[in-house]
Amino acid sequence: MSIPSSLTHFAASVSILLSTAPVAMADTVHLKNGDSLSGRLISYEGDVCVFSASYGTGLNIPGPDIASLQTDHDYEVRFKNGELASGRLMSNGATLTLLTSTTFGEVEVRMTEIQALTRSFVEERNPEAEDVPAEYGERTEQPPLDFLVGSTVLLGPGEYEFDMGLVYKQSRRQHNLFDVGYFQKSSYSARVIQFEPTLRAGLFDRLEGHLAVPFTYTSVEDVSSNEYVSTTGAWDLADIGFGVQYQWLDETSAHPALSFTFDIGAPTGRKRYNDAANRWKDPLNNGSGHWNVAPGIAWVRSTDPAILFGGLSYQHFFKSTIDGYAVKPGWALRSYLGAGFALNEKLSIGARFSYSYSANLKADRQIIKGTDIDPADLAFNLSYRLRDDWVVSPQIMLGLNDDAGPASMSLNLKRQFN
């Protein structure tokens, strides 16, 4: 399979952008295994460093695993021999920690010699500057991390968000009909607009739930020539989806964050198995026609300056009667891998590769050969914080094989409530 040159140029541009992306978070931990983590230092005491990753989870990092530490604020440093010093920690070459203070200047410190770090809040305050807004580029809030939705729990108890998603995809093919007229065409086109409002909520500590109620408008045109044109279109409710995600393990220096997912699909959409004469109406289908469940596992790993994520799920469909046939779709195994970057407090970008395999379906207990599919696609998304609680996220999804279908564009507008 060849990749179009335009896609190659696009991927190259994204790579250049990612390689030069600034890190939005302030503090940095360099580990002895070569990994680097960007985030916020919460505490350091008794050879245990508690560090907040870019997506808000707390990591417990053993002190002996840390090669160097860099902070953007002053800390009081208490050494194991009882001495005290104050200043800012700087990392030199990711293997050496320097303490910069007004009293001692710049001195080298070993992480194994530190007993505790305490943030210094003694700063001169300028009353006239209290109402001055933050400078551009100064961190005021967590960056939007929409590329992690579904890969980890992002909402705490009592927090919820409403996501208004809009997706557009189009498929078209045509060829000339010189035998019936020089300008005559045979063409087939299908356009789908999907509105997918989704509610996500933090149910309990480490537990998040979601409910999606999508609607679609589909228009189809089948042209044999100017004399034979068939068109149809319809608004329909698609399959309603809901589920939960449980954060099982927080990320540490030894393993990524792990969470369990469980999704349920309800057959509220349209599903028909059209005969040969009406096969051109197939795009009107916007549902599976079957109840289905999908347990899975997802992981997230921070490695400066990127956040890596992925997931694997198994989808099981239940038998149903459609158009007089007892139909049971084959099981499906779905997987994805991705990477995201928080560029600053307002902007993040992400990319995801997805691959799945669906086995052959059964009709009246007979396996229908050739109905298995294995779509693969590549998605790029950008998230921008419009205001404190509003985030807009455009996305482009490219099908990498015939089973993946046409490319699609989507736009999500999300409002968070606390």
Side-chain angles (χ1 to χ4, degrees):
M1 179 182 64
S2 62
I3 299 177
S5 60
S6 59
L7 177 57
T8 304
H9 294 159
F10 178 74
S13 301
V14 171
S15 300
I16 294 173
L17 176 61
L18 299 186
S19 64
T20 59
V23 179
M25 307 299 282
D27 302 328
T28 304
V29 173
H30 298 284
L31 303 179
K32 291 181 179 179
N33 64 4
D35 290 344
S36 296
L37 303 175
S38 292
R40 179 67 62 188
L41 176 63
I42 298 176
S43 67
Y44 188 102
E45 186 169 2
D47 284 335
V48 176
C49 175
V50 180
F51 198 78
S52 176
S54 302
Y55 56 96
T57 60
L59 288 71
N60 295 321
I61 305 174
D65 292 346
I66 299 176
S68 65
L69 178 64
Q70 179 168 321
T71 66
D72 72 335
H73 289 88
D74 289 345
Y75 280 80
E76 181 183 78
V77 183
R78 186 168 75 250
F79 293 94
K80 293 180 179 178
N81 61 7
E83 294 182 355
L84 292 174
S86 296
R88 187 165 302 187
L89 297 175
M90 304 294 293
S91 180
N92 186 355
T95 59
L96 183 65
T97 301
L98 302 176
L99 174 64
T100 303
S101 68
T102 57
T103 305
F104 302 103
E106 190 175 273
V107 295
E108 177 183 344
V109 299
R110 298 180 183 274
M111 296 303 300
T112 55
E113 298 174 347
I114 297 176
Q115 175 64 30
L117 294 172
T118 305
R119 171 83 175 272
S120 298
F121 291 96
V122 180
E123 301 177 358
E124 292 187 7
R125 299 179 61 187
N126 182 2
E128 297 179 357
E130 289 185 359
D131 296 330
V132 177
E135 296 289 335
Y136 178 79
E138 181 180 337
R139 178 172 174 79
T140 58
E141 55 196 1
Q142 179 174 302
L145 300 174
D146 287 36
F147 56 82
L148 287 181
V149 171
S151 296
T152 190
V153 174
L154 296 172
L155 300 175
E159 296 180 340
Y160 59 99
E161 63 184 23
F162 185 62
D163 190 346
M164 294 163 283
L166 191 65
V167 182
Y168 173 77
K169 54 186 175 182
Q170 180 258 1
S171 177
R172 183 179 180 86
R173 62 178 183 269
Q174 64 180 41
H175 63 270
N176 294 322
L177 293 174
F178 296 117
D179 54 333
V180 297
Y182 190 80
F183 296 103
Q184 293 287 301
K185 298 283 187 180
S186 172
S187 70
Y188 178 85
S189 62
R191 294 177 174 85
V192 178
I193 299 175
Q194 178 166 309
F195 175 59
E196 187 170 343
T198 302
L199 179 66
R200 301 185 185 92
L203 304 177
F204 303 101
D205 184 35
R206 311 169 73 85
L207 183 66
E208 183 178 294
H210 68 270
L211 170 66
V213 185
F215 296 85
T216 64
Y217 174 73
T218 306
S219 65
V220 187
E221 182 183 65
D222 188 19
V223 179
S224 297
S225 68
N226 276 5
E227 300 296 325
Y228 302 97
V229 179
S230 299
T231 61
T232 187
W235 273 103
D236 279 306
L237 174 66
D239 283 359
I240 293 176
F242 52 97
V244 294
Q245 183 163 18
Y246 174 70
Q247 188 77 25
W248 177 43
L249 292 177
D250 291 332
E251 182 179 1
T252 69
S253 59
H255 59 74
L258 293 175
S259 60
F260 293 115
T261 61
F262 190 82
D263 297 315
I264 301 175
T268 52
R270 172 190 167 97
K271 181 63 178 179
R272 293 289 182 269
Y273 291 99
N274 294 302
D275 56 26
N278 293 290
R279 196 69 44 81
W280 65 280
K281 298 179 181 178
D282 283 351
L284 294 178
N285 289 332
N286 63 357
S288 67
H290 303 264
W291 283 92
N292 61 87
V293 296
I297 189 169
W299 59 269
V300 175
R301 182 65 167 174
S302 299
T303 175
D304 194 26
I307 302 175
L308 308 179
F309 57 94
L312 180 68
S313 65
Y314 170 82
Q315 190 171 22
H316 175 80
F317 293 87
F318 295 92
K319 184 170 64 174
S320 181
T321 300
I322 303 176
D323 297 334
Y325 299 96
V327 181
K328 186 180 185 300
W331 55 267
L333 192 64
R334 308 184 187 280
S335 63
Y336 67 90
L337 290 171
F341 296 79
L343 303 183
N344 53 52
E345 76 279 0
K346 288 185 175 293
L347 182 66
S348 67
I349 54 177
R352 173 189 296 213
F353 169 76
S354 302
Y355 173 81
S356 62
Y357 175 78
S358 297
N360 291 312
L361 67 81
K362 290 182 179 180
D364 291 338
R365 298 185 178 181
Q366 179 183 4
I367 296 177
I368 309 301
K369 297 292 186 179
T371 55
D372 59 325
I373 59 173
D374 57 343
D377 55 62
L378 184 63
F380 300 93
N381 79 293
L382 178 149
S383 297
Y384 180 75
R385 190 179 298 281
L386 296 172
R387 298 183 62 182
D388 291 346
D389 299 319
W390 289 92
V391 174
V392 61
S393 301
Q395 176 176 279
I396 297 175
M397 181 174 290
L398 307 173
L400 301 182
N401 58 13
D402 292 338
D403 288 342
S408 66
M409 298 178 293
S410 64
L411 183 69
N412 291 69
L413 183 62
K414 184 175 67 176
R415 171 74 159 91
Q416 185 170 350
F417 304 87
N418 296 323

